[in-house]
Amino acid sequence: MRIRQILAGEKGLSRTDVIGAVSFVCKMTKEELLRDIDSRLDEATLNAVKDCLGERRAGKPLAYITGVKEFFSESFFVSPDVLIPRPETEILVEEALKIIGTGGNRVSVLDMGTGSGAIGIIVAKHAGSSVVCVDISAAALRVASKNARSIGVAGRTRFVCSDLFGAIKEGPGFDVILANLPYVAASEWEDLMADVRQYEPRGALYGGQRGVEVYERFVRDLPGRMKSGGHVLLEIGSSAQAEEIGGMLKGIGLTVNVKKDYSGTERVLVGHG
Ligand code: GLN
């Protein structure tokens, strides 16, 4: 069978998914695949493609099938132990890079709830900062440190297994604290896409009954960890959370700005102390 026939014959899935699955199995880039669209696949390759497409049809996210996801133009390893990096999280990274500016090697950064490491690793790479990446999941940290090595920032990143600040030794030593903690509320759980609900780690998504409980605990410990004059950047999910979590930041004396994502949703809180 030719690649072109597979693309034309797969009705149930998006073209992006099918191209992604075929290029993964054939170890080709998408550009190579489209250039060689009339080449034939041998039977073993075709069977492997069919297996991937079957998994995708069952709902498994493409990134968990291929084991990689692009974020900020870098390729990140992912596994079901980590959330798949989201395009909207690039907003937080862009804001962090603006704040850190040049001279990032003198800025100490903490990435709380690092997951695949996407946020902290990109900041280490682009700003040149030293980044402590924290997660409660040891399995997630294994994925993150593999990413740090493959993206070339192992020397500037450190990985710590900790429930929020619990096991962090540094005192009020961080200039910039970044966090994409779980913020989905119980009432929103059923509204998540089925693929997300069934395959992505619940611990990285579910923020408690009200959705803000993890951020509440985080903000409680923040004053002892952030240098005065420092910044905290939090990913959030709604205007209601911008109010509620923004209020918590104001409560500890920070000034707060809200950034929207490209779909107009309040997505990042920037607190400045
Ligand atoms: N934006 C994510 C989602 O729904 C939630 C991420 C999070 O809780 N930090 O899919």
Side-chain angles (χ1 to χ4, degrees):
M1 199 184 247
R2 294 176 199 275
I3 293 174
R4 182 189 296 281
Q5 292 169 297
I6 298 173
L7 294 186
E10 183 55 60
K11 299 285 182 243
L13 296 174
S14 72
R15 188 172 164 86
T16 313
D17 279 342
V18 183
I19 291 177
V22 178
S23 53
F24 165 65
V25 171
C26 299
K27 298 189 176 62
M28 286 171 151
T29 64
K30 293 179 182 55
E31 294 69 30
E32 287 165 344
L33 180 139
L34 293 172
R35 189 194 63 208
D36 293 346
I37 196 157
D38 283 313
S39 59
R40 285 181 192 279
L41 302 186
D42 61 42
E43 199 180 325
T45 307
L46 186 59
N47 285 336
V49 168
K50 283 185 181 158
D51 286 348
C52 283
L53 295 177
E55 284 190 286
R56 182 66 200 105
R57 249 182 265 114
K60 188 167 184 175
L62 183 66
Y64 290 152
I65 298 171
T66 62
V68 290
K69 176 73 182 180
E70 187 165 309
F71 180 78
F72 232 88
S73 305
E74 296 287 347
S75 180
F76 281 85
F77 296 111
V78 292
S79 79
D81 291 313
V82 301
L83 208 64
I84 299 165
R86 308 280 201 262
E88 59 267 28
T89 300
E90 296 193 349
I91 310 276
L92 188 153
V93 174
E94 281 163 8
E95 289 303 320
L97 294 175
K98 272 191 235 164
I99 286 167
I100 297 171
T102 53
N105 57 348
R106 291 189 301 275
V107 176
S108 59
V109 178
L110 176 75
D111 175 13
M112 182 62 83
T114 194
S116 65
I119 295 173
I121 287 169
I122 294 296
V123 168
K125 173 118 190 175
H126 288 259
S129 304
S130 293
V131 184
V132 177
C133 298
V134 177
D135 208 283
I136 195 170
S137 158
L141 289 169
R142 283 193 286 277
V143 175
S145 63
K146 184 171 161 193
N147 281 321
R149 285 193 298 279
S150 75
I151 293 168
V153 295
R156 287 202 289 283
T157 46
R158 203 156 64 75
F159 296 87
V160 182
C161 193
S162 175
D163 179 12
L164 299 177
F165 292 104
I168 308 300
K169 299 278 183 287
E170 285 90 341
F174 294 100
D175 298 299
V176 177
I177 299 184
L178 312 169
N180 179 13
L181 291 168
Y183 54 69
V184 177
S187 60
E188 296 163 338
W189 188 254
E190 291 303 317
D191 299 333
L192 289 180
M193 283 195 335
D195 298 7
V196 174
R197 234 178 19 231
Q198 285 167 21
Y199 287 90
E200 299 207 58
R202 179 181 161 91
L205 292 163
Y206 182 64
Q209 185 69 23
R210 293 175 292 124
V212 298
E213 284 91 331
V214 182
Y215 273 126
E216 214 163 41
R217 283 206 294 132
F218 168 85
V219 175
R220 202 178 304 146
D221 285 348
L222 191 57
R225 305 299 187 155
M226 194 175 118
K227 277 190 197 164
S228 82
H231 289 82
V232 62
L233 286 82
L234 311 180
E235 182 175 310
I236 55 162
S238 63
S239 58
Q241 290 192 343
E243 280 295 316
E244 194 169 359
I245 302 170
M248 296 176 200
L249 295 177
K250 288 177 187 157
I252 58 166
L254 304 184
T255 42
V256 178
N257 282 297
V258 186
K259 306 284 169 194
K260 292 187 176 178
D261 65 20
Y262 297 116
S263 71
T265 302
E266 280 79 355
R267 188 58 67 189
V268 177
L269 289 175
V270 181
H272 182 205

